[in-house]
Amino acid sequence: MDKVRLVGPAGEQVGVVQVKDALRLAQEAGLDLVEVAPTAHPPVAKLMDYGKFKYQSAQKEREARRHQSNTVIKSIRLGMKIDANDYNTKKAQAQKFLSVGDKVKFDLRFRGREQSRPELGMKLLNDLAQELSDYSTVEQKPRVEGRNMSLVLAPTRKKTVTKSDQRRRKEARAAQEAAAAQAGQTSPEQTDEAASSLN
């Protein structure tokens, strides 16, 4: 490789130059010559501060990882003969999972003759989906899997949004507690000063 297509520090095209000239330009500018597209003909090299470039790349990667949501599917088991109390408990549990950004999979187990009436299971799961529609959307409609029927609900709010909301609330709560603690610390001192002035 004796020539490279040189790109300047601000992204401007310098043109095709000899490698020794590119190295001289990099040295004069106090920058590094970094090969950015080795497979191109001629290879593309850029004048840049390599340490700064690595740092910025690592920061972008960290930021992307932070905003990446780890989707969790929470499973809730139901039976066809579920009583109203259990039904409401399972629904509340699902609502809690959905409100923090997790998906919920309902597994309905058919026992004995219940298997001959899948429409009842379908109705039960559709009713649940309808009642939880403020918190979720149906990702997978009720579907029979052997002796089970399942339904998957996805949260309407993304987990990253929920996490940032929680972080904001936590910071606000911490600020309020700090302000309350500060107010609590100053008031006993003020009462001591008031008492000493009376004496």
Side-chain angles (χ1 to χ4, degrees):
M1 174 180 83
D2 55 342
K3 288 185 178 179
V4 290
R5 184 174 301 281
L6 189 63
V7 178
E12 72 278 8
Q13 295 290 328
V14 176
V16 177
V17 296
Q18 295 285 332
V19 173
K20 60 180 184 195
D21 294 333
L23 286 167
R24 184 179 46 76
L25 287 169
Q27 197 170 17
E28 286 171 5
L31 297 169
D32 301 305
L33 181 66
V34 180
E35 190 176 42
V36 290
T39 56
H41 295 289
V44 180
K46 185 174 181 181
L47 296 173
M48 65 171 77
D49 181 343
Y50 188 63
K52 186 178 176 183
F53 169 73
K54 273 181 74 173
Y55 173 75
Q56 286 173 341
S57 297
Q59 264 198 327
K60 280 181 191 168
E61 215 172 280
R62 242 191 327 272
E63 193 69 21
R65 266 200 311 270
R66 208 177 75 191
H67 288 296
Q68 194 175 31
S69 61
N70 299 330
T71 306
V72 178
I73 298 181
K74 302 287 189 175
S75 189
I76 297 176
R77 298 190 88 160
L78 303 166
M80 280 297 297
K81 294 178 180 168
I82 190 168
D83 64 42
N85 220 12
D86 277 348
Y87 179 86
N88 289 330
T89 302
K90 304 261 184 184
K91 188 174 79 173
Q93 193 179 21
Q95 187 177 322
K96 187 174 128 191
F97 292 146
L98 291 163
S99 63
V100 296
D102 292 326
K103 291 183 182 181
V104 176
K105 180 181 182 186
F106 286 102
D107 286 313
L108 179 63
R109 179 103 172 140
F110 291 113
R111 290 193 173 85
R113 292 185 187 172
E114 292 172 354
Q115 212 168 353
S116 64
R117 303 288 306 273
E119 68 278 1
L120 294 176
M122 193 79 72
K123 182 184 180 328
L124 178 67
L125 292 177
N126 282 330
D127 287 350
L128 259 171
Q130 183 60 43
E131 289 176 36
L132 292 166
S133 62
D134 290 347
Y135 306 92
S136 65
T137 55
V138 176
E139 186 174 278
Q140 178 197 299
K141 291 183 177 182
R143 174 170 90 184
V144 177
E145 299 168 347
R147 293 178 68 91
N148 292 339
M149 184 178 280
S150 64
L151 162 76
V152 178
L153 299 179
T156 49
R157 300 185 75 203
K158 285 195 166 42
K159 197 165 192 167
T160 51
V161 174
T162 306
K163 279 187 174 177
S164 63
D165 284 354
Q166 287 172 343
R167 194 171 30 252
R168 270 197 296 276
R169 280 198 298 272
K170 196 174 181 180
E171 287 167 1
R173 201 176 310 118
Q176 284 176 344
E177 286 171 4
Q182 184 116 22
Q185 286 174 352
T186 54
S187 56
E189 290 167 10
Q190 289 167 346
T191 53
D192 287 347
E193 284 172 13
S196 63
S197 66
L198 287 171
N199 293 336

